[in-house]
Amino acid sequence: MSGIIKFAANRVWRTYQGGKLLDEMQKKACPADSSFPEDWIGSMVQATNAGREALSEGLSMITSESGELTPFKSLVLSEPDFYLGQDCEVEDVPLVKYLDSATRLHFQVHPSREFAKQRLGSSRGKTEAYVILAIRDDIQQPYIYAGFQRPPSRKQLKSWIEQQNIDEIEGCFDKIPVKPGDVFLIPGGRPHALGEGILMLEIMEPSDLAVRFEFERCGYVIPEAARFMNRDIETALDVFDFSPVTGESIDSTFRCSPELILDENGGNRLESLIDSHHTPCFRVRRATTKGIFSRRETSCFYGIVAEGCGMIKTENQSLMLNQWDRFFCPAGVEAFSYHSDQNMTVLECYPGGL
């Protein structure tokens, strides 16, 4: 297997409910929300689910040329120069997910890369980005929470967490309105929660590290080991960035505006959604095709078809792409082209620092 790879669904158990729209993507007979609200795309990361460790959830499997299932990560490591490029490691490749929320997610915060290296023995933290894809029909005011607009003191927050005083915690945030097409970057250290009814693409550093400081949602109580990364509350509190993000600075802190890279007269466009001046952790671009869009890239990337349909072609391959399809383009495939007469939009997720 030495070309572009398409992925099947890779649903992962989580501590909240959702996934009905993911069921619809998979064309299931009776789509329904469940404990599998995420689809990890081409994942080389194992999910951290307390009590489910034996299941090895999260790692993407692909069918080899011999017809056997093999971890995508194993394939990549068999030819790292071809799949990743000479200057890229597995730890540089972001974790990319579909996330479909039926309820507001737990309040949580992720460690920064620096904190993870210094305190957790991990080379990566969990800075993450959201590209909003769709809103459920019954949601009138979709939102996210991000950063403390009214920061508590460390002592206050510790008390509220211990008492699970969620009203006081929620009072530290303002709802940030979202709509399809919006892009947000949530750096490590910033507390946050995703509102209900949102389908999004989530791009993050390749880890599953999280401080979940709200312990119960929809009747499920998070085990103690899964609340503070199997550490104590003082370590968990050290993760937080308590600096305020006031209403007038929310957009400049978290919201990312597209930057045009290329605009061809025929309707082909390439935009940067997240680049190195936002974060060193990953890059995200949006390619829109009407006709034939010839491209050259020297970095590997995950591609997700957000709108329309068409094809991707290389010298040796021609693959159909329908809406919601996802694929991996190795670094060794430098020249490719998108073909569509329907304004096909592909979100391209690259490693950072390249």
Side-chain angles (χ1 to χ4, degrees):
M1 192 172 296
S2 57
I4 293 171
I5 298 167
K6 289 182 72 173
F7 298 108
N10 180 32
R11 301 287 287 274
V12 178
W13 187 94
R14 300 275 80 181
T15 58
Y16 65 95
Q17 295 289 296
K20 180 180 179 180
L21 299 186
L22 303 184
D23 281 3
E24 292 177 2
M25 287 183 193
Q26 292 179 246
K27 299 185 178 354
K28 291 190 175 181
C30 299
D33 291 314
S34 69
S35 294
F36 291 85
E38 297 181 6
D39 183 339
W40 291 22
I41 298 168
S43 169
M44 295 186 278
V45 177
Q46 184 161 325
T48 303
N49 287 325
R52 298 173 63 90
E53 293 85 355
L55 300 178
S56 298
E57 294 172 292
L59 292 171
S60 290
M61 306 295 288
I62 60 171
T63 303
S64 69
E65 292 176 350
S66 63
E68 297 179 353
L69 281 177
T70 186
F72 174 60
K73 183 176 181 179
S74 296
L75 176 68
V76 167
L77 291 177
S78 71
E79 295 184 73
D81 286 353
F82 174 76
Y83 286 104
L84 302 180
Q86 294 184 350
D87 299 322
C88 183
E89 305 290 339
V90 165
E91 292 77 13
D92 298 321
V93 180
L95 174 58
V96 181
K97 310 175 180 178
Y98 281 130
L99 188 157
D100 174 30
S101 62
T103 181
R104 176 180 64 74
L105 273 60
H106 305 78
F107 283 109
Q108 56 193 284
V109 63
H110 305 302
S112 66
R113 181 174 293 187
E114 293 73 19
F115 187 96
K117 288 179 178 178
Q118 294 171 9
R119 304 283 297 277
L120 305 177
S122 173
S123 63
R124 296 293 181 266
K126 200 177 175 187
T127 287
E128 60 188 32
Y130 309 150
V131 180
I132 309 300
L133 300 175
I135 307 297
R136 296 195 185 196
D137 292 340
D138 59 340
I139 301 298
Q140 300 302 312
Q141 296 180 314
Y143 68 93
I144 62 171
Y145 290 129
F148 287 132
Q149 280 69 66
R150 291 165 292 280
S153 68
R154 181 185 176 108
K155 182 178 179 181
Q156 280 178 320
L157 183 58
K158 180 180 179 180
S159 174
W160 293 343
I161 293 173
E162 290 175 334
Q163 298 170 14
Q164 283 297 279
N165 192 333
I166 303 305
D167 287 343
E168 291 287 1
I169 291 173
E170 195 161 10
C172 297
F173 299 88
D174 290 333
K175 290 183 176 180
I176 302 172
V178 303
K179 64 183 183 305
D182 283 351
V183 181
F184 297 90
L185 180 71
I186 312 297
R190 291 294 191 181
H192 57 276
L194 180 72
E196 60 274 11
I198 297 173
L199 173 67
M200 70 181 191
L201 191 71
E202 187 174 24
I203 307 98
M204 64 186 66
E205 290 185 86
S207 83
D208 200 19
L209 295 169
V211 170
R212 298 175 178 90
F213 56 103
E214 181 178 9
F215 303 156
E216 185 272 333
R217 291 295 293 165
C218 302
Y220 177 80
V221 179
I222 296 176
E224 288 189 17
R227 296 173 185 176
F228 305 142
M229 304 179 297
N230 208 23
R231 287 158 172 88
D232 61 21
I233 191 171
E234 295 298 338
T235 301
L237 289 166
D238 288 344
V239 174
F240 284 82
D241 183 341
F242 284 89
S243 57
V245 184
T246 57
E248 57 270 19
S249 64
I250 286 174
D251 282 355
S252 61
T253 303
F254 298 119
R255 198 182 293 268
C256 302
S257 299
E259 299 175 11
L260 186 63
I261 299 173
L262 178 66
D263 188 3
E264 296 182 347
N265 290 333
N268 297 325
R269 290 170 61 89
L270 183 64
E271 300 166 288
S272 173
L273 303 185
I274 296 173
D275 217 327
S276 56
H277 65 273
H278 294 108
T279 177
C281 299
F282 44 76
R283 296 178 295 130
V284 182
R285 292 179 171 182
R286 180 168 58 203
T288 302
T289 300
K290 187 171 184 181
I292 300 174
F293 195 178
S294 298
R295 300 279 306 284
R296 294 190 69 88
E297 295 291 344
T298 58
S299 174
C300 63
F301 68 89
Y302 291 110
I304 295 88
V305 183
E307 293 182 69
C309 63
M311 302 184 74
I312 184 169
K313 294 184 179 182
T314 69
E315 183 179 359
N316 301 311
Q317 281 184 291
S318 182
L319 297 175
M320 287 296 303
L321 295 176
N322 294 310
Q323 187 179 27
W324 311 127
D325 279 354
R326 50 280 217 210
F327 61 89
F328 181 80
C329 185
V333 179
E334 295 186 7
F336 62 94
S337 57
Y338 294 129
H339 298 246
S340 178
D341 58 3
Q342 299 187 21
N343 287 326
M344 179 175 69
T345 299
V346 178
L347 299 171
E348 301 174 346
C349 306
Y350 295 82
L354 297 175

